[in-house]
Amino acid sequence: MPLFGSKTPKNPPEVVRALKEALTSLERSDKKAEKAQEDISKCLSQMKTMLYGSSDSDPPTDIVVSQLSQECYNTNLLLLLISNLHRIDFEGKKDVSQIFNNILRRQIGIRTPTVEYLCTKPEILYTLITGYEQPDVALHCGTMLRECARHEALTRIVLNSKLFYNFFKYVEVSTFDIASDAFSTFKELLTKHKGLCAEFLENNYDEVFGDYEKLLNSDNYVTRRQSLKLLGELLLDRHNFNVMKRYISNPDNLKLMMTMLKEKSRNIQFEAFHVFKVFVANPDKPRPILEILLRNQDKLVEFLTRFHTDRTEDEQFNDEKAYLIKQIKELRPLPPE
Amino acid sequence: MSTLNNRQRTSYADIPRLAALKETRPERRHSLAAAIEGADNNIRQNVLRRRASADKTSTASQIYQAVARRITPGLLPPGSPGTYRRKSSTAELTAALALLGRSKDTKMAEADKPWPNVKDDYEIKDLIGVGATAYVHKALCIPRNEMCAIKKINLEKWNTSMEELLKEIQAMSLCHHENVVTYYTSFVVQDELWLILKLLGGGSLLDIIKHRAKSPDAKHGVIDEVVIATVLKEVLKGLEYFHNNGQIHRDIKAGNILLGEDGVVQIADFGVSAWLSTGGDLSREKSRHTFVGTPCWMAPEVMEQVSGYDFKADIWSFGITAIEMVTGTAPYHKYPPMKVLMLTLQNDPPTIDTNAQEKDQYKNYGRGIRKMIADCLQKDPTRRPTATELLKHQFFKKAKDKKFLQQILLQGGPSLDDRVSKQNSRGPGASGRLHRTQSGDWVWSDDETEPQQQHDDSGSLSSWDNGTNNASKDADSLKTESSSNNTSGASTQMSGSSNGPSSAGASNVLASLPGPQYVAADQLAALHLQSGISAQGGPPSLGAHGEAYMAPAANPGGGGGEPVELVLRVRNQRRELNDIRFEYCVGRDTSTGVASELVAAGLVDGRDLVCIAASLERIMEKPSVGTSETFALSSGCPPTEVPDEYSLIGFAQLTITD
């Protein structure tokens, strides 16, 4: 910083250089930390103005934006910003995520240069994921990660990383806003790019659904409810047909859903219904599934008849319920093995 | 193809607040038919057919629906998300002052411990606000030895998606500003979400306005210019921060501005706030197209829903809030929402004289404030100043400091001899009842003697026959369970009521403070809407509201005889039987007044206002214990149910219990 003194840097290379120096000095936490913090705020707001424009300045020009992005790539600034995010002050953290997201959205024709850059620097993505472990940066990292998840190439990197399984931990942390932010990122990663997600779920079925079952059995009401709902969405997405077939062949999964049908929470009951229906509607049910359904045939018919009878306006639900009742009634005893 | 098979889940999302307004983001559910190949074709066809018939409604009816949903408690179950309204600033202030000294001493030592995410670390104290799905308690955070407010949101009753809730909380947690409500942490306790917030002891600006409006000199202006400038300058600082953050609040009004006992002013209730982008921020929308807010405070461009709106919508609401502080109400508060929309769109912008009953009623207010309000209330949003520009307005030169507000609060606050009520705590997920206290407040209380609702362990695997070689069939177990699932809420409440007004119940009545009862402005508006439908709106309906508004202000104990305890047994929107207990004080209450309160509190359907009032009238002609009357509800029952007097389907029962 002594290099610049009172002079404020004006062009992108200067801002990036100043920011880098301030960050390095903050990282070393030398005596001038306070000054560094101040310089960081100044640089960040300048970068923001370059990207967004401001009420008193001209709208941002393409040249400045591309110069700034190029500087960020060349100097590895993004990683430096993200790995020092917890050291930056409250408002600065918000600026960082806004700058990151803005640069990430940049397009030249059909090319997205920042995405290409991030593909060569997966450690940026990894740092963002582990950001969920630090409460004061978790939400900012989440915002940036979800922006990354809009791009298939970046989602692929995250899904293929062992760190993806950390999400099963993050969605259960005790602070609600962090846990549910992690959940929305988790959901985005598993649903945004259909083909990729289906491929991932198929190839990693045992590992993913092994962990997933723990979410369904969580003590936390929100985790249970959210994960059950997502499960329903995943299974009923036609891209995930093979995953669904596999899931609904396992009698343990059926038992779990039948248990959840009777949870105290009506919302959970309802979400469980939407998974349970798939087991029953399966045209070629495996023998163990049929056995359970047959053993509970009368009970199920009675239970479903009384199930959420006040949902009179939801025609789809009522049609489906009627269909399930009919299917279960019509089940014929299995021939002996 | 996949979109074809998606379908908006209308179900019974009785869309309160957020959902109603964010109609643009329907929850989607993949249909069964889409996924299972070879499944019954009927379902698939049904789904497709229904999608085709779901056509778009006109803008006018959209507006109408949005308004109706937004503010008609009658259409909502007693338990939908909504703005919480503190009961009375009286108890609040006194208690807060008493605690002030204590917390200060120890604050330094413990303040650096993080706010815990554990229920038992908080000692729940007085209930300070009740909303539709939320209860707000004062609480002590034990490890930090510091007071806070806990907003408990019942997630089972929250029909909006979790994502919407998360947005509200994120909006809060990404704000650090003296004039924006301080959020500490949030966590899940059974099926409730607990938000830990800074406790503001001074009540809302609306509380102050209502309190002051009672004084005889309020006719020529409720709050003087200097106080207005001081409070609103703080609000502007909060708004400036908000807007610079890329957020719009969308519901700025006196009821959402809170005051601390130290004179701090904070903007609260992020329920409807949204993110918005400026300039080159590509990751956010440029403007919003959702219909949000409270009609009286709503900017014309928000109502029109044509061009979308931006930060300037908050500036309009800010201008209306200034008028509210002068006259005590928003300009068109006495009209039904549709009329408010028309007046706002057709007339010239309101001024402080719009509501004046006589010439020069507000002559004490100078040109500065009038000019400031006129600047904010320009129909063309681009001509309105930004929060930053407004802060430089001449009018705000009058503003004084926090200390000044603190003094004003103390002076203007309700008298200190009001007794502080017995503490009342509510366990997570506990069942309870709403009572109407002598002062006319609706409060929640739970029977401490009542057994904690049983955890439904019977729902475990054992009751399904899942074992591999277990062949026994216990059909009964399922039967009882499924029925107990459906009626557990009702039976708890029924058993409570069969004890009559037990001593536990009576001692639970939270506060017996004299004090005004505030019917939320939007709820009042809802009443207007109801009557607007049946009776062209306007004056004919005013009587009832006036009563709801004024009656409880009367001196309890004075003027009337012994209060009569009554129970209204009626089904809620979930079709569960509820017992609503309340008192009726002959001479103090009127049947229409009480019935309006029931509606305003969201406890009964607005359509039943008249028949409940009529029944009350009849039963109070000769009140004697045990007298009971069953009467038909105007709201009827869902088409699938058959009205039945005995099981109270389409009927309600009113009983005198004491």
Side-chain angles (χ1 to χ4, degrees), chain A residues 12-183:
Chain A
E14 277 176 355
V15 178
V16 170
R17 204 179 322 137
L19 185 53
K20 257 197 102 165
E21 280 181 41
L23 281 169
T24 323
S25 116
L26 195 64
E27 202 171 20
R28 282 198 311 265
S29 68
D30 54 24
K31 284 167 255 160
K32 294 188 183 136
E34 214 167 281
K35 173 81 169 70
Q37 197 66 262
E38 218 171 87
D39 289 346
I40 290 171
S41 306
K42 219 183 289 171
C43 294
L44 288 174
S45 65
Q46 261 175 324
M47 284 177 79
K48 257 174 76 179
T49 314
M50 287 174 186
L51 293 167
Y52 294 54
S54 76
S55 46
D56 2 278
S57 74
D58 297 331
T61 62
D62 285 348
I63 300 164
V64 174
V65 171
S66 83
Q67 238 188 329
L68 186 66
S69 313
Q70 207 52 54
E71 275 309 304
C72 289
Y73 309 151
N74 293 344
T75 56
N76 216 356
L77 180 74
L78 296 178
L79 182 60
L80 195 63
L81 276 174
I82 288 163
S83 47
N84 284 298
L85 196 56
H86 61 284
R87 296 195 175 91
I88 300 175
D89 64 19
F90 186 82
E91 298 298 325
K93 289 188 180 92
K94 286 193 283 191
D95 291 342
V96 171
S97 59
Q98 282 183 39
I99 290 167
F100 182 92
N101 286 358
N102 195 299
I103 292 182
L104 188 51
R105 286 234 174 169
R106 201 164 80 94
Q107 274 189 324
I108 304 172
I110 53 157
R111 280 186 54 219
T112 42
T114 312
V115 174
E116 290 165 21
Y117 167 74
L118 288 179
C119 284
T120 65
K121 297 272 175 203
E123 59 270 34
I124 293 181
L125 294 171
Y126 303 152
T127 317
L128 286 176
I129 297 174
T130 48
Y132 273 116
E133 289 163 28
Q134 293 170 288
D136 54 339
V137 301
L139 298 186
H140 305 98
C141 291
T143 314
M144 291 185 263
L145 258 182
R146 278 192 298 282
E147 193 63 39
C148 294
R150 293 162 47 91
H151 303 278
E152 184 160 348
L154 300 181
T155 305
R156 188 185 299 277
I157 295 174
V158 175
L159 290 179
N160 287 335
S161 152
K162 279 286 149 209
L163 287 174
F164 172 76
Y165 295 91
N166 285 5
F167 274 99
F168 289 101
K169 216 165 61 194
Y170 301 154
V171 302
E172 281 219 86
V173 299
S174 67
T175 306
F176 171 82
D177 48 353
I178 297 177
S180 44
D181 189 277
F183 194 88

Side-chain angles (χ1 to χ4, degrees), chain A residues 91 181 221 265 270-271, chain B residues 9 29 117 156 170 241 478:
Chain A
E91 298 298 325
D181 189 277
Y221 165 86
S265 153
F270 188 60
E271 297 302 341
Chain B
R9 184 156 46 148
R29 156 86 55 198
N117 287 337
E156 265 298 295
Q170 287 204 338
Y241 177 85
L478 181 60

Side-chain angles (χ1 to χ4, degrees), chain B residues 453-465:
Chain B
Q453 245 181 15
Q454 281 162 358
H455 209 78
D456 197 1
D457 286 332
S458 48
S460 67
L461 203 56
S462 61
S463 61
W464 291 116
D465 197 346

